[in-house]
Amino acid sequence: MRIFSLICCMLLMSTIIAQEEASINSPDGKLEVSVKVENGKPFYSVTYNEKVMLEKSPLGLVTNAGDFTSKMKLLEASKGTTSSEYNIKKIKQSHVSYKANTLTISFANAEEKEISVVFQVSDNDIAFRYEMPKWGDTRACVVEKELTGYNFPKGSTSFLSPMMQSMGGFARTAPSYESGYSADAQLESNTSGTGYVFPGLFKIGENGWVLLSETGVSSLYNASHLSSFKDGIYTVEYPDLAQNNGFGSVGAQIGLPGHTPWRTITLGESLKPIVETTIPFDVVDQLYEPSQDYKYGKGTWSWIVWQDNSMNYDDQVKYIDLAAAMDFEYILIDAWWDERIGYEKMEELIDYAKSKGVDVFLWYNSNGVANDAFMTPLNKMNTSIARKKEMKWLKEAGVKGLKVDFFGGDKQETMKLYENILSDANDYGLMVIFHGATLPRGWGKMYPNFVGSEAVLASEMLIFSQDTRNKEAFYASLHPFSRNAVASMEFGGILLNKYLNKDNKEGQERLTTDAFQLATGVLFQNPVQMFALTPNNLEDVPDFELDFLRELPTTWDETVFIDGYPGKFSVLARRHDQNWYVAGVNAEKSVRKLKLELPMLAGKTVTLFSDDKKKETYSKEIKIPSSGKVSVNIQPNGGFVIKN
């Protein structure tokens, strides 16, 4: 009898344990996510090839209708599968096939209110979110805080960019995701009081790599970021109250049933899955139909080098002519155009551009109430009435796109502004680039007329900051593994002036080679890219470099990681139709000698753009051996491109 009782007791214990734990594997079986409740608190952990990538990490939300962080019990867990195929021209892969196993875990809090966490686990990616049902008659709630955390094994290092101080920077427009990165930092050193922006990259000792981000942020939620390293973990933090001049909640007001955005984790033993991931787009849906077939391409942009003084009719004609000479599709006309050129003369300028086969993007200030940004056009994008009136004129004038600047913040209020601008612009057949803006979280798929965001320490800071010029190669070697791994990045680069000013004689000296600049045109992915060429480049830059830029695509069918280490060097391959471009940059102080495996180019005669020992850029034809193996030397602050 005692043995029978003991057996019953053991069975009861195993049932309780089973109810308090659940796990899910990836389709290939290598990636495992485990979820359990300990002392009323939910946690998850992650292994890859039986190596720990995330130790026990917290889950949970706090809402104004209930606390879902403690006194929780696991009710049930159900498993399933999901798959999809989609085509999209403007991200790193034009055709994506997504397959994942799913785990839905239902919890109840002390008040018996339920909440679920839904995991989708593909071979190298995890996406999970919280889903909330209606609670009786409660059909709305405010999510005030999220406890989702990331507990990395000891010995891990980070590659992070700090969140900018709220209402700081130029005209109190921060945060705008324009801080630099530190590389291979000890976790204990990540003590920024403002936290760190998504995405965040981590090296897990010898076990591999992890990239953290989020996706699916729309007007229905706020965006978030990583906290500083506290008590051994990072957590998801909602926006600082001071953002948006202190107006608006730091959490999210949602209707029930409702859900949070997806938290994403990309991981693997190498950097390959980090570079090639499409998870930001795999788990989101397109939110509306495109009003037309949008055309992507390259453009010129006077402001980046010639600055505010170029906002006049004659200089814009010169840049239209430059775009036409380069076979570029667009010109971006920046701030002050409404005052210094005027609407009537702008219509003439747009007609002139059309006569040259060039279309126009116009710059706008998003501001009206949120900060002190004063550049005009002002008060044209911040209200529905003003926005639709302006967009009606834009469509009639023949403008093809907008660049909207100076947002500064991640509150739900600001997410609504982003979405409203995009939705209204689509109604008028306009593409949108955001500048001085947040990280786009799945927007490349969600919004069909979205064609890129800055959200990076971009080319303009090369003009303004010696420190940024000193670190140009360092940052460029990081972006394919971090910022540009999760979203299109409107960098505005390819500077071919020796000095980054109009005179091009002295002053802000460029420290990188021409081959480096050409390589960034491949490394940095964005479907519409405004390059920093100047009219004098038609005379002072070798023809082979200009011809390369004329042929360079801005959309890609395939992206492949070749080699690299963030902060040191980076080599990627991208394919457009049948043409492959392999590009690399070197951020180290010595020559980087590489032996690359390029099976996609095996046996082919290709063109190599590279630098000699004097850092002079050259072009020559080479034959790739049938093995696909080729040796390449990259000079310090230099680069290379191989194209077939």
Side-chain angles (χ1 to χ4, degrees):
M1 184 67 181
R2 290 179 62 187
I3 294 175
F4 177 76
S5 299
L6 181 60
I7 292 172
C8 289
C9 183
M10 291 175 65
L11 288 172
L12 179 61
M13 288 177 63
S14 66
T15 302
I16 294 172
I17 291 170
Q19 289 178 342
E20 294 296 300
E21 294 185 11
S23 64
I24 187 73
N25 291 86
S26 58
D28 67 4
K30 294 181 179 180
L31 175 55
E32 182 179 40
V33 179
S34 299
V35 181
K36 62 181 176 180
V37 175
E38 288 186 0
N39 299 319
K41 296 182 178 181
F43 297 92
Y44 75 105
S45 58
V46 178
T47 61
Y48 188 82
N49 268 346
E50 300 183 350
K51 298 175 182 177
V52 175
M53 307 298 275
L54 278 175
E55 297 182 352
K56 187 176 70 174
S57 303
L59 295 168
L61 296 178
V62 177
T63 78
N64 67 347
D67 185 336
F68 298 91
T69 63
S70 62
K71 299 181 180 178
M72 300 283 285
K73 59 182 178 181
L74 196 157
L75 299 179
E76 64 175 334
S78 60
K79 295 182 180 181
T81 61
T82 185
S83 63
S84 64
E85 291 200 18
Y86 59 94
N87 298 306
I88 183 168
K89 293 181 180 179
K90 57 181 177 171
I91 63 172
K92 67 180 78 169
Q93 306 276 138
S94 64
H95 177 78
V96 179
S97 179
Y98 174 67
K99 295 180 181 180
N101 293 331
T102 65
L103 174 67
T104 300
I105 306 175
S106 299
F107 300 94
N109 68 2
E111 299 172 325
E112 298 299 324
K113 290 181 177 177
E114 295 186 16
I115 190 172
S116 297
V117 183
V118 178
F119 287 88
Q120 294 189 184
V121 181
S122 52
D123 285 346
N124 290 97
D125 296 287
I126 302 164
F128 66 97
R129 71 183 184 187
Y130 301 88
E131 297 186 354
M132 290 147 280
K134 290 181 290 185
W135 298 309
D137 294 330
T138 303
R139 295 176 178 268
C141 77
V142 173
V143 181
E144 299 171 344
K145 186 178 181 181
E146 185 169 334
L147 261 65
T148 301
Y150 308 95
N151 181 9
F152 293 104
K154 289 183 179 180
S156 300
T157 56
S158 67
F159 302 75
L160 297 174
S161 175
M163 174 70 77
M164 300 170 73
Q165 186 69 46
S166 300
M167 303 306 292
F170 174 78
R172 299 197 302 154
T173 57
S176 53
Y177 286 65
E178 296 178 57
S179 294
Y181 279 79
S182 59
D184 256 333
Q186 298 298 313
L187 304 189
E188 292 78 9
S189 69
N190 297 155
T191 57
S192 167
T194 53
Y196 298 88
V197 303
F198 283 126
L201 178 66
F202 298 84
K203 186 175 187 294
I204 316 303
E206 299 301 316
N207 291 355
W209 298 83
V210 170
L211 184 72
L212 304 179
S213 195
E214 68 175 348
T215 192
V217 178
S218 69
S219 62
L220 299 177
Y221 219 87
N222 57 273
S224 64
H225 60 276
L226 284 175
S227 72
S228 61
F229 188 66
K230 302 174 185 175
D231 301 323
I233 64 169
Y234 302 86
T235 56
V236 169
E237 280 197 349
Y238 287 176
D240 177 19
L241 182 61
Q243 290 181 13
N244 202 36
N245 210 14
F247 180 78
S249 171
V250 300
Q253 182 182 44
I254 64 173
L256 299 178
H259 56 78
T260 67
W262 294 96
R263 309 289 162 227
T264 64
I265 305 171
T266 300
L267 67 166
E269 293 175 332
S270 75
L271 286 159
K272 183 177 175 66
I274 304 297
V275 169
E276 298 177 14
T277 184
T278 56
I279 194 62
F281 315 105
D282 296 338
V283 294
V284 301
D285 297 317
Q286 182 175 288
L287 298 184
Y288 51 76
E289 290 298 317
S291 63
Q292 63 185 70
D293 186 14
Y294 292 108
K295 181 177 72 174
Y296 311 124
K298 304 176 289 261
T300 60
W301 176 28
S302 73
W303 182 87
I304 182 62
V305 176
W306 285 17
Q307 297 286 293
D308 287 346
N309 289 336
S310 68
M311 286 305 113
N312 61 74
Y313 191 96
D314 291 341
D315 279 351
Q316 294 312 305
V317 166
K318 293 174 184 175
Y319 270 81
I320 290 169
D321 291 344
L322 173 61
M326 291 300 298
D327 299 326
F328 287 0
E329 292 83 358
Y330 297 108
I331 178 177
L332 166 64
I333 303 177
D334 217 283
W336 304 115
W337 63 263
D338 60 326
E339 292 188 4
R340 301 181 184 183
I341 297 174
Y343 280 79
E344 186 174 338
K345 292 290 286 183
M346 180 55 71
E347 291 178 359
E348 293 181 19
L349 196 59
I350 294 166
D351 288 340
Y352 176 75
K354 287 180 184 176
S355 75
K356 293 286 187 175
V358 177
D359 284 315
V360 175
F361 272 67
L362 289 182
W363 183 97
Y364 281 87
N365 192 337
S366 76
N367 186 40
V369 296
N371 52 53
D372 302 327
F374 51 85
M375 287 81 165
T376 64
L378 183 64
N379 290 310
K380 300 291 187 180
M381 290 291 129
N382 60 309
T383 67
S384 176
I385 293 171
R387 192 164 53 240
K388 290 178 179 179
K389 181 180 178 181
E390 190 74 5
M391 289 179 177
K392 181 175 184 291
W393 173 80
L394 289 165
K395 181 178 181 179
E396 291 172 349
V399 172
K400 299 301 181 183
L402 311 177
K403 177 180 177 180
V404 189
D405 204 345
F406 297 132
F407 288 86
D410 284 339
K411 290 182 177 179
Q412 189 174 11
E413 287 289 326
T414 311
M415 297 303 112
K416 290 177 181 178
L417 179 59
Y418 283 116
E419 184 170 281
N420 290 340
I421 291 171
L422 285 162
S423 178
D424 285 350
N426 183 64
D427 291 343
Y428 291 91
L430 298 166
M431 293 176 281
V432 180
I433 294 169
F434 291 125
H435 197 76
T438 192
L439 175 76
R441 295 155 164 91
W443 296 359
K445 185 178 180 183
M446 293 162 64
Y447 304 109
N449 57 325
F450 169 79
V451 291
S453 283
E454 184 190 28
V456 67
L457 193 64
S459 59
E460 63 186 33
M461 291 308 296
L462 294 167
I463 310 296
F464 301 137
S465 166
Q466 183 63 49
D467 182 67
T468 305
R469 289 192 290 278
N470 293 341
K471 297 176 180 175
E472 182 181 6
F474 170 73
Y475 292 140
S477 72
L478 276 161
H479 295 323
F481 307 109
S482 52
R483 165 64 182 88
N484 212 185
V486 300
S488 298
M489 184 176 76
E490 208 285 300
F491 189 84
I494 306 193
L495 288 143
L496 294 178
N497 274 11
K498 294 184 183 299
Y499 297 92
L500 306 184
N501 51 50
K502 186 174 182 179
D503 290 340
N504 195 24
K505 293 179 180 178
E506 60 181 1
Q508 304 101 309
E509 183 180 7
R510 173 164 58 92
L511 303 179
T512 55
T513 69
D514 283 11
F516 173 97
Q517 294 294 323
L518 301 182
T520 62
V522 179
L523 290 180
F524 299 165
Q525 179 269 321
N526 201 75
V528 175
Q529 196 71 278
M530 304 301 177
F531 290 143
L533 302 185
T534 55
N536 54 279
N537 293 153
L538 293 174
E539 305 297 331
D540 59 23
V541 169
D543 287 342
F544 73 85
E545 295 184 22
L546 299 179
D547 289 341
F548 171 86
L549 293 176
R550 289 185 178 99
E551 297 174 1
L552 180 67
T554 61
T555 58
W556 304 102
D557 295 301
E558 192 174 352
T559 295
V560 179
F561 170 69
I562 302 298
D563 200 357
Y565 190 96
K568 296 182 179 180
F569 72 105
S570 176
V571 183
L572 303 187
R574 298 193 196 269
R575 178 178 61 83
H576 177 88
D577 292 334
Q578 301 304 311
N579 297 317
W580 281 97
Y581 289 73
V582 181
V585 295
N586 179 16
E588 296 185 289
K589 298 185 183 300
S590 59
V591 176
R592 168 65 68 166
K593 298 180 179 181
L594 298 174
K595 292 183 178 180
L596 305 177
E597 295 188 11
L598 307 176
M600 70 286 290
L601 296 176
K604 294 184 178 181
T605 298
V606 299
T607 303
L608 169 68
F609 302 85
S610 190
D611 304 309
D612 61 23
K613 294 180 180 179
K614 295 181 180 180
K615 299 188 178 180
E616 294 293 327
T617 298
Y618 64 87
S619 168
K620 70 175 183 179
E621 285 193 350
I622 62 171
K623 179 72 177 290
I624 305 294
S626 58
S627 65
K629 296 180 180 180
V630 62
S631 296
V632 174
N633 294 340
I634 319 180
Q635 299 298 323
N637 279 346
F640 79 93
V641 180
I642 296 172
K643 66 178 289 284
N644 69 326

